[in-house]
Amino acid sequence: MTDQLAERIVDSILECRERGVKDDELIVKELMSKFEGNEEDFYWAIEMTNTGGFRASIMSSGNTYPKSNIRIEDNPILKIALKKCWIDLKGEEHFIKNYEKKKKWWKIF
């Protein structure tokens, strides 16, 4: 999945929620009408969007996120959701300063 497609999917999920659509089944139906994929793919996209928002709320507050089996950079939906939620919470400058420019521990080795 490209980052552009991931961003469109995350935007659609967040737009549904902004309109008051909270039921995952209804969100999946809307995603299926806009994008190619199966139900399982879209439920996973919702889960990764939720995870991105959760991680953004923890990490943007200055806390570290516990080690996970899914790295942010390995999943385009998670990466985009984290960025969008963090920016929504603290602003783009905060995101760049505290996430994008911060040296990643796994890139040290």
Side-chain angles (χ1 to χ4, degrees):
M1 174 180 301
T2 66
D3 284 351
Q4 293 82 11
L5 178 58
E7 186 167 5
R8 290 178 43 222
I9 291 170
V10 170
D11 284 343
S12 291
I13 292 167
L14 296 176
E15 287 168 8
C16 283
R17 292 183 177 152
E18 286 174 14
R19 289 193 326 262
V21 179
K22 307 289 186 202
D23 186 298
D24 288 353
E25 187 175 327
L26 295 174
I27 295 171
V28 167
K29 285 181 183 180
E30 185 159 333
L31 292 172
M32 290 182 73
S33 72
K34 292 180 178 180
F35 306 101
E36 286 189 33
N38 60 49
E39 284 185 16
E40 185 177 312
D41 294 336
F42 295 125
Y43 278 110
W44 180 250
I46 291 169
E47 184 63 31
M48 289 297 97
T49 300
N50 294 343
T51 301
F54 180 68
R55 288 186 185 189
S57 67
I58 291 172
M59 295 167 68
S60 69
S61 67
N63 295 310
T64 57
Y65 188 80
K67 189 175 180 176
S68 174
N69 62 339
I70 301 174
R71 287 187 2 181
I72 293 166
E73 299 301 319
D74 291 345
N75 185 290
I77 298 280
L78 179 59
K79 179 174 66 172
I80 299 293
L82 175 98
K83 180 179 180 179
K84 287 183 173 288
C85 293
W86 191 316
I87 290 171
D88 188 49
L89 290 167
K90 302 279 183 157
E92 187 168 7
E93 186 176 311
H94 190 273
F95 174 76
I96 292 168
K97 178 183 173 190
N98 295 288
Y99 182 75
E100 283 192 344
K101 293 205 176 195
K102 198 172 189 180
K103 191 166 188 117
K104 309 289 190 289
W105 67 265
W106 62 83
K107 293 187 179 182
I108 295 171
F109 302 101

